[in-house]
Amino acid sequence: MAPRSVTSVSISEDPQVYEDTHVHAVYEEIAPHFSSTRYKPWPVIAAFLSSLPAGWIGLDSGTGNGKYLPLPSENPSRVWTIGLDRSLNLLKIARNAGGAAREVVWANVLDHPWREGIFDYAISIATIHHLATHERRKQAVQRLLQAVSPTHGRILIYVWAVEQDDLSKREIPVEQSTELSLGKDVFVPWVLSSSDKTQADNQVFNRYYHMFAKGELTQLVSEAAEEMGLRVGPKSEYSVSCSGIEFKQNGWERSNYYVELHCWAQ
Amino acid sequence: MVRLITHNLLACHAKGCTSNNFPLQFQNVQIELKEAEFNPTFLETFMPKLEWKALVDSAKEASATISRYILGNTSLPLEQPEMLDEEFLKNLHHVLLEIHVEEGIMICPNCKHNYPISNGIPNMLLAEHEIG
Ligand SMILES: [Zn+2]
């Protein structure tokens, strides 16, 4: 497939309506095709899931086709991940991810249909960048913080970066990449080939993304945590009767920024 | 799927519904049994998180819907035991991980909101005016 350019957009509508049209409706349409291209787990995520203590349960918020639900592959029943997604058609694929029955729940990542702090870990992979405002992206992070244990919870978040790697199929127009400190709202086309393979009948679906600027993800997470009264930084002997989060990893992998957070309390 | 492990984690999240919003009560359920790999380490680590009474009650609700012969042994002690023998862990494994609710409704004990389950997928979405 030839490289396809992303195009800049600005959001003037109600963000929820916008996400319904440019995210949820698109995934419902492209679910099977999308899923067939998403089977290889990213190394940092696989390593995170392998690092968890045995017996932990976790939430995959925005699970898509559920490709992370069967992990860790070397010892699949070691931890138990439950998938949540807004797309029913993707969940229908996710519920049998890896050829076994999986637990999946149909909900929005801004919802919190759980007992407070009941999970030991949560992952949010390539999901928060589909939310159309800073406020909503912050809320999504807060839902993850609410979902995990305040004393030992661990969270891994991946979002799409303005910094794209060379292998990426997408081209970002140069003149658009000048002001990147606040990230960038774009449409990314998804081409659904028609069955008779004539180019003219290909359907193009534009998915909305917020491409994160360098440092924007850590800033967002810190803001989300501080608003909930959490400290940001490692636990120290001076932090008495309070709780917080510590960044254990903060990096860039294959056109994405990611952070790993550990919750602590004392 | 909605196995009882997932049911034990879910709570109602409708606007203003913040207490007595768990466990959701099953109604009109259809159940399938599927064998799952027995992992005692997982069960022992997970057990402290369980709301025991909710699990015992929902196991009873589930077993009331089809005959005990098909369902196997769902009898769990009313109190969570301190000594975990193999027989107990096998029962717990069966109840938590092998009973799949495929169809039915989950009802909030507090606000009575209905969360339908269809093809094993629980619909926890709320209408805009119901979101807290
Ligand atoms: Zn309720």
Side-chain angles (χ1 to χ4, degrees):
Chain A
M1 191 163 59
R4 298 223 151 228
S5 299
V6 305
T7 48
S8 298
V9 292
S10 62
I11 302 133
S12 50
E13 305 162 57
D14 177 295
Q16 190 179 332
V17 176
Y18 194 84
E19 289 159 16
D20 281 343
T21 315
H22 299 293
V23 181
H24 306 150
V26 177
Y27 278 110
E28 289 298 26
E29 291 286 341
I30 69 174
H33 183 219
F34 171 82
S35 176
S36 67
T37 66
R38 296 291 189 283
Y39 48 86
K40 222 181 154 181
W42 288 335
V44 171
I45 305 165
F48 172 81
L49 292 168
S50 296
S51 73
L52 300 168
W56 275 22
I57 52 162
L59 171 66
D60 181 1
S61 185
T63 191
N65 66 352
K67 72 172 163 174
Y68 293 107
L69 302 181
L71 268 55
S73 46
E74 72 278 7
N75 192 354
S77 61
R78 199 181 141 83
V79 296
W80 191 275
T81 312
I82 296 177
L84 175 153
D85 206 276
R86 181 63 182 73
S87 163
L88 187 58
N89 286 342
L90 283 173
L91 289 179
K92 286 177 182 169
I93 300 168
R95 72 181 160 187
N96 290 309
R102 307 290 168 194
E103 295 294 292
V104 298
V105 167
W106 190 16
N108 195 303
V109 297
L110 297 175
D111 295 334
H112 184 66
W114 310 105
R115 288 162 57 197
E116 202 80 5
I118 194 64
F119 292 101
D120 300 298
Y121 62 95
I123 61 174
S124 167
I125 311 302
T127 299
I128 290 175
H129 56 212
H130 284 314
L131 295 163
T133 66
H134 178 80
E135 198 55 35
R136 290 165 76 81
R137 293 188 284 272
K138 186 170 68 189
Q139 238 181 66
V141 174
Q142 291 176 334
R143 294 294 174 265
L144 298 172
L145 291 167
Q146 265 180 291
V148 300
S149 156
T151 58
H152 67 259
R154 295 185 195 173
I155 298 173
L156 185 71
I157 304 174
Y158 258 71
V159 292
W160 210 33
V162 282
E163 217 180 312
Q164 295 285 299
D165 72 7
D166 297 338
L167 296 168
S168 167
K169 288 185 189 136
R170 300 176 190 93
E171 285 177 348
I172 315 296
V174 179
E175 78 277 12
Q176 289 177 7
S177 51
T178 43
E179 278 182 72
L180 294 177
S181 57
L182 286 172
K184 207 169 155 39
D185 291 320
V186 297
F187 271 161
V188 180
W190 185 272
V191 182
L192 201 58
S193 315
S194 62
S195 47
D196 58 7
K197 309 256 189 239
T198 55
Q199 195 107 67
D201 291 338
N202 285 348
Q203 255 184 304
V204 179
F205 293 93
N206 279 319
R207 275 174 305 161
Y208 165 80
Y209 277 79
H210 176 78
M211 297 173 87
F212 276 67
K214 198 176 173 78
E216 190 184 348
L217 179 59
T218 45
Q219 176 64 34
L220 180 77
V221 169
S222 303
E223 244 179 75
E226 278 161 4
E227 243 183 51
M228 291 170 71
L230 298 169
R231 302 219 178 159
V232 177
K235 178 157 100 174
S236 78
E237 51 188 302
Y238 304 109
S239 28
V240 181
S241 63
C242 65
S243 34
I245 55 155
E246 181 182 1
F247 287 99
K248 283 287 180 185
Q249 288 196 79
N250 175 9
W252 178 91
E253 184 194 35
R254 300 190 194 182
S255 310
N256 288 273
Y257 293 122
Y258 65 89
V259 289
E260 178 180 342
L261 317 168
H262 288 195
C263 299
W264 55 264
Q266 73 177 23
Chain B
M1 317 299 137
V2 186
R3 291 183 236 194
L4 297 191
I5 187 173
T6 304
H7 173 259
N8 208 272
L9 308 174
L10 288 168
C12 179
H13 61 122
K15 195 175 189 167
C17 191
T18 51
S19 60
N20 186 33
N21 56 346
F22 158 86
L24 305 174
Q25 287 151 359
F26 283 121
Q27 203 172 73
N28 300 334
V29 293
Q30 287 173 32
I31 285 164
E32 272 178 33
L33 299 178
K34 289 175 195 164
E35 251 179 65
E37 192 193 328
F38 178 59
N39 184 338
T41 316
F42 173 79
L43 294 170
E44 284 170 38
T45 318
F46 178 68
M47 263 189 64
K49 291 193 200 69
L50 274 171
E51 281 279 343
W52 192 254
K53 189 177 178 312
L55 182 69
V56 173
D57 289 351
S58 53
K60 262 193 220 139
E61 284 174 66
S63 64
T65 63
I66 49 175
S67 86
R68 273 187 180 273
Y69 173 73
I70 303 169
L71 198 59
N73 191 356
T74 59
S75 57
L76 292 172
L78 291 176
E79 300 286 331
Q80 192 165 330
E82 278 169 23
M83 275 291 292
L84 308 176
D85 59 22
E86 169 115 348
E87 191 196 343
F88 166 76
L89 286 174
K90 288 218 154 128
N91 274 358
L92 180 63
H93 167 75
H94 176 67
V95 169
L96 266 187
L97 303 176
E98 298 191 318
I99 301 174
H100 295 243
V101 178
E102 293 291 320
E103 303 288 329
I105 306 171
M106 294 182 291
I107 302 171
C108 172
N110 182 38
C111 76
K112 309 295 174 206
H113 189 92
N114 284 17
Y115 297 97
I117 300 166
S118 174
N119 295 308
I121 300 175
N123 180 353
M124 301 304 290
L125 290 169
L126 297 171
E128 203 169 343
H129 67 276
E130 297 163 338
I131 297 170

